[in-house]
Amino acid sequence: MELKNRIVMSPMLMYQAGADGYATERQVLHYGARALGGVGLVMTEVISVEPRGRISDSDLGLWSDAHIPGISRIVEAVHACDAKVGVQLAHAGRKAIPSGCVAPSPIPHSDESATPSELTTAEIHQLVQHYVAAATRAEQAGVDCLQIHAAHGYLIHEFLAPMSNKRTDEYGGNLENRARFLLEVVSGVRAALPAAKPLMVRFSGADLVDGGVSAADAGQLAKWLEAAGADFLEVTSGNITTSYAGDVYPGYQIKFVENIRRQSGLPLGSVGSIQSADLAEYLLREGGIDLVFIGRALLRDPFWAIHAATEIGLEPPLPIPTYARASGPYHRGF
């Protein structure tokens, strides 16, 4: 997959989906606007692989063929603006809608959260198939790439972290067992996609709390993910608990990338309070990342990519040519 630049719109929940996870016109316009604004790759918000995996009633879904047309409309809008588009697949686990939430172990996310039901082995196997089926539907919708969300306290992350996984079967205990669900999902999705379709994984470089994913764990996970068929790793951190345990500052996630770069030859990306063109350019050249994921800055300014390019002395193509560039009698620009 070739991108016109290294700017990625980071997945960000909108809470704007219609009933039962269907894409709305507002979401189509939202993603299309960022593509029009010059982003190279637009990633959707998290898309749930089954109904009980939504963090809210207003999350997108791909657990049914009926969801494909809505995702296709997002894809068409982004492609019409000369950008690539990917979907992020996930299951919220114990952070999902309280009614019917599930997890590796019956441990609530917080004192205010509902206690999740512990998944049976059969249910875990079924969830792997839910991911595969959702990936197949995304492929049918025409997406350019997919990402598996294995961070930020969602279900796969809950399996990886000892504090939320107290299982004694083949999905709990040592790191190899705790990683089994993630690797089965990645292997299954990879097998269901065309060989040339990039498969990305977002995972935690460190959780910064006792009982979370450690930096050593993350390094080993990177090796296993590469062997399982991942093509790109997005490194993030924390949020297995209700709050972030580290300091937040521009580019604060990059230090976790350094460890992963030593363990894997895959291309890497990261996100985290990256708001200026200068910082983004520095991180791409010196920070060890290959793609820079921009979040809130793109919410505030859909044309952030164009503005960033002009700030560093480039002349990016405008989304709509001025009269001065168009043919015909209206030759004077404004």
Side-chain angles (χ1 to χ4, degrees):
M1 182 177 70
E2 182 175 339
L3 303 178
K4 64 183 180 182
N5 58 50
R6 296 176 184 266
I7 302 170
V8 182
M9 177 181 175
S10 186
M12 291 174 284
L13 279 164
M14 287 185 67
Y15 304 110
Q16 296 291 329
D20 297 323
Y22 292 102
T24 61
E25 188 69 19
R26 186 185 185 100
Q27 289 168 308
V28 174
L29 294 172
H30 170 74
Y31 293 114
R34 275 71 193 174
L36 189 68
V39 169
L41 172 62
V42 172
M43 295 300 300
T44 70
E45 62 202 88
V46 62
I47 297 181
S48 184
V49 299
E50 69 159 348
R52 62 181 179 176
R54 290 175 292 167
I55 200 169
S56 81
D57 288 319
S58 301
D59 288 0
L60 284 173
L62 254 178
W63 61 80
S64 164
D65 288 351
H67 292 114
I68 295 175
I71 303 302
S72 292
R73 293 188 60 228
I74 293 174
V75 171
E76 291 165 2
V78 173
H79 283 172
C81 299
D82 191 31
K84 296 293 196 298
V85 58
V87 298
Q88 185 189 68
L89 300 180
H91 190 295
R94 65 182 188 174
K95 294 177 70 174
I97 300 169
S99 58
C101 64
V102 296
S105 301
I107 303 171
H109 183 62
S110 70
D111 293 340
E112 292 76 33
S113 301
T115 299
S117 300
E118 181 171 307
L119 288 162
T120 66
T121 302
E123 287 178 314
I124 294 171
H125 295 165
Q126 185 60 53
L127 276 169
V128 173
Q129 296 309 308
H130 287 328
Y131 274 92
V132 172
T136 301
R137 295 184 186 106
E139 166 66 16
Q140 293 171 0
V143 303
D144 299 294
C145 63
L146 283 87
Q147 184 182 68
I148 304 299
H149 198 340
H152 297 172
Y154 293 136
L155 183 62
I156 295 178
H157 193 185
E158 293 163 17
F159 271 91
L160 295 172
M163 67 185 303
S164 50
N165 183 351
K166 303 298 183 182
R167 301 178 72 93
T168 58
D169 62 4
E170 65 268 36
Y171 291 96
N174 60 34
L175 179 61
E176 183 176 8
N177 283 353
R178 301 196 314 273
R180 191 180 305 277
F181 178 48
L182 167 60
L183 298 177
E184 287 179 348
V185 168
V186 171
S187 296
V189 169
R190 176 71 277 168
L193 296 176
K197 186 81 63 174
L199 176 58
M200 311 163 80
V201 177
R202 171 184 273 188
F203 77 118
S204 180
D207 283 336
L208 308 176
V209 294
D210 291 339
V213 173
S214 68
D217 291 343
Q220 181 60 63
L221 287 171
K223 296 176 182 177
W224 288 340
L225 286 167
E226 185 172 1
D231 300 300
F232 184 97
L233 303 177
E234 183 195 353
V235 185
T236 181
S237 64
N239 296 318
I240 189 63
T241 58
T242 56
S243 60
Y244 186 73
D247 295 327
V248 176
Y249 51 87
Y252 68 97
Q253 310 266 31
I254 296 301
K255 58 182 175 291
F256 304 111
V257 174
E258 297 171 359
N259 173 49
I260 304 304
R261 176 65 74 189
R262 291 191 294 268
Q263 306 298 327
S264 172
L266 291 178
L268 304 175
S270 192
V271 68
S273 295
I274 303 170
Q275 301 181 39
S276 72
D278 286 342
L279 177 58
E281 190 71 10
Y282 175 80
L283 295 177
L284 288 169
R285 293 181 180 271
E286 302 292 340
I289 60 174
D290 302 282
L291 295 177
V292 58
F293 285 66
I294 306 295
R296 291 179 177 87
L298 276 168
L299 292 183
R300 290 188 288 269
D301 179 8
F303 290 87
W304 184 92
I306 290 176
H307 294 152
T310 57
E311 285 175 19
I312 60 176
L314 301 178
E315 295 185 8
L318 298 178
I320 300 175
T322 64
Y323 285 130
R325 298 182 182 181
S327 61
Y330 300 102
H331 61 276
R332 298 187 65 184
F334 293 92

